[in-house]
Amino acid sequence: MLEARYGLGLYVSRGITLVRGAGAYVWDSDGRRYLDCTAAYGVASLGHCHPAVVEAISQQAATLIACSGSFGNDQRAQLYADLMTVLPYGLTRVFFCNSGAEANEAALKFARLTTGRHGVVAAQRGFHGRTAGALTATWEPKYREPFEPLLPGFTYIPYNDEAALDAAITDEIGAVILEVVQGEGGVRPGTTAFLHRAQQLCRERGALLILDEVQSGFGRTGTFFACEAVGIEPDILTMAKGIASGFPMGAVALGERVAKLSPGQHGTTFGGGPLACAAARATVRVLKETNLPAQVERLSGLFFERLRAIPSHRIREVRGRGYMIGIELTEPAAPYIAAAQERGLLVLNAGVNVIRLLPPLVLTEEDITLATMILKEILR
């Protein structure tokens, strides 16, 4: 009631209040348990309240909470070093911020500063955030049109269309921004040929390739970053969501083709703060020590196999990569998302007719069995 009274109403209420989480499960205010295949839109990568993350945040909160980028900090310095062990080849510098939209906003600025060109090629069905620059790169008209005019110079091409990409990258284009797996746009993986062509054309024509791994990064697709599985080396990589297991954080990694930046050209008050860095360090450490990306690769194959075996005329296609799963239906998904919630399974949409699953990476085979059983029950 208080949220409805004082909030802005910018979110469609799911009708339950979540008050506790542990691993892949959350509990509502009535004490009912749900298998959470939303992971709070993909941020709870290690599951809810992972002990290593809780301990890291607790210890840091008792040590130092705030430290701006004007001063060095031990947690920030160590996180830089930790990321260098997992980032794709060629990415050697990092800027910390607070969200995926901020990361993409910074990436677009860095590309413009480097190339001196204002043009940007983005993909249809792409989603990159809701701030002005990131929103301009986002294709869906319902997000953009109420706030136009936005930034000029953006071109949208069909995803995975190599010919359209070739035609769009002119000498006015400073950046191409793509998701390796489109999330909001329906959970659509990029083809290896398309992504390699984007890299080749950017190199040849002086543009920078920005890969948006805000949703697909940090083990979600079965490798630390989705671009690794297709052998792509971006000039700029944007990250957020799973980077700190639910603590708000974003980051931008830069390669050698991106210009060196000067003090004042960009900045943030909270980015790279000690609490966020401590949570991110714990996340990276657990991902590496437990090899969770490999577990995602193994168990997601089982998940896809079971979902594709559901006998339902309502299912048009099951697609995605790792724990980015889209079930495209022949009808609107909303009633089935509600039905799943009634049975103790939380899932998302990706457009009107796609059920989207973004479970924590700690999902077990038993959890997969439960999720499949509920989805089979509601979709048959």
Side-chain angles (χ1 to χ4, degrees):
M1 291 293 291
L2 292 174
E3 289 191 73
R5 180 176 180 181
Y6 297 113
L8 297 183
L10 294 175
Y11 305 95
V12 177
S13 173
R14 296 286 292 261
I16 58 175
T17 298
L18 301 181
V19 297
R20 183 166 69 92
Y25 290 84
V26 290
W27 285 259
D28 68 16
S29 54
D30 294 323
R32 186 176 181 193
R33 189 182 79 158
Y34 302 83
L35 174 56
D36 183 13
C37 282
T38 76
Y41 277 89
V43 305
S45 52
L46 302 184
H48 295 278
C49 299
H50 190 283
V53 178
V54 171
E55 181 181 8
I57 292 174
S58 298
Q59 289 186 358
Q60 189 58 44
T63 305
L64 180 66
I65 292 177
C67 179
S68 77
S70 298
F71 300 92
N73 177 256
D74 57 338
Q75 294 296 327
R76 187 188 309 125
Q78 287 301 316
L79 180 56
Y80 283 134
D82 292 345
L83 287 177
M84 291 304 133
T85 69
V86 298
L87 283 170
Y89 178 80
L91 300 175
T92 59
R93 293 169 290 154
V94 177
F95 169 77
F96 292 127
C97 53
N98 307 286
S99 70
E102 284 187 43
N104 286 326
E105 200 80 28
L108 293 168
K109 287 180 66 177
F110 298 160
R112 177 175 288 188
L113 181 69
T114 298
T115 65
R117 303 175 183 178
H118 295 178
V120 176
V121 174
Q124 294 175 10
R125 294 194 176 94
F127 183 89
H128 302 286
R130 291 182 171 90
T131 51
L135 180 59
T136 310
T138 294
W139 174 76
E140 177 59 54
K142 73 177 181 181
Y143 294 128
R144 285 188 292 109
E145 288 178 352
F147 304 99
E148 290 178 340
L150 294 166
L151 302 185
F154 281 67
T155 301
Y156 310 94
I157 63 166
Y159 194 54
N160 286 329
D161 188 328
E162 295 177 54
L165 182 70
D166 194 338
I169 304 178
T170 67
D171 58 8
E172 297 178 350
I173 298 300
V176 175
I177 183 168
L178 299 168
E179 296 162 275
V180 182
V181 182
Q182 290 188 324
E184 181 82 14
V187 194
R188 302 173 189 276
T191 65
T192 299
F194 175 74
L195 294 169
H196 273 274
R197 185 63 171 153
Q199 178 175 281
Q200 176 190 357
L201 290 171
C202 284
R203 297 285 198 276
E204 292 175 354
R205 301 180 186 179
L208 297 181
L209 176 60
I210 303 170
L211 290 187
D212 178 342
E213 292 232 28
V214 167
Q215 191 169 128
S216 60
F218 291 90
R220 178 153 297 281
T221 65
T223 51
F224 242 95
F225 295 95
C227 63
E228 295 175 75
V230 291
I232 301 300
E233 298 173 6
D235 299 302
I236 302 177
L237 183 78
T238 60
M239 304 161 270
K241 292 196 183 293
I243 188 173
S245 296
F247 200 95
M249 190 178 200
V252 187
L254 309 179
E256 293 304 316
R257 298 181 72 225
V258 183
K260 299 296 188 289
L261 302 168
S262 301
Q265 288 184 316
H266 196 62
T268 169
T269 298
F270 295 107
L275 279 177
C277 289
R281 288 190 64 206
T283 300
V284 172
R285 184 175 68 253
V286 171
L287 286 171
K288 292 175 66 176
E289 290 178 352
T290 61
N291 201 8
L292 266 180
Q295 178 176 310
V296 170
E297 176 70 17
R298 177 174 58 85
L299 288 182
S300 66
L302 174 66
F303 209 170
F304 275 102
E305 179 183 326
R306 292 185 178 180
L307 291 172
R308 287 169 176 152
I310 294 176
S312 174
H313 67 276
R314 295 186 174 94
I315 298 177
R316 177 176 290 143
E317 183 183 16
V318 179
R319 59 175 177 259
R321 185 177 299 160
Y323 281 165
M324 289 184 71
I325 301 172
I327 306 170
E328 183 175 342
L329 305 181
T330 58
E331 55 193 272
Y336 301 101
I337 293 172
Q341 180 173 304
E342 283 295 314
R343 289 161 176 80
L345 174 67
L346 301 182
V347 295
L348 300 164
N349 73 300
V352 173
N353 66 330
V354 176
I355 296 173
R356 176 171 35 156
L357 286 75
L358 297 173
L361 310 189
V362 296
L363 210 65
T364 66
E365 186 170 343
E366 291 75 19
D367 298 331
I368 290 171
T369 298
L370 175 60
T372 306
M373 180 185 70
I374 293 172
L375 290 167
K376 181 178 181 179
E377 180 183 339
I378 65 174
L379 290 171
R380 287 184 64 174

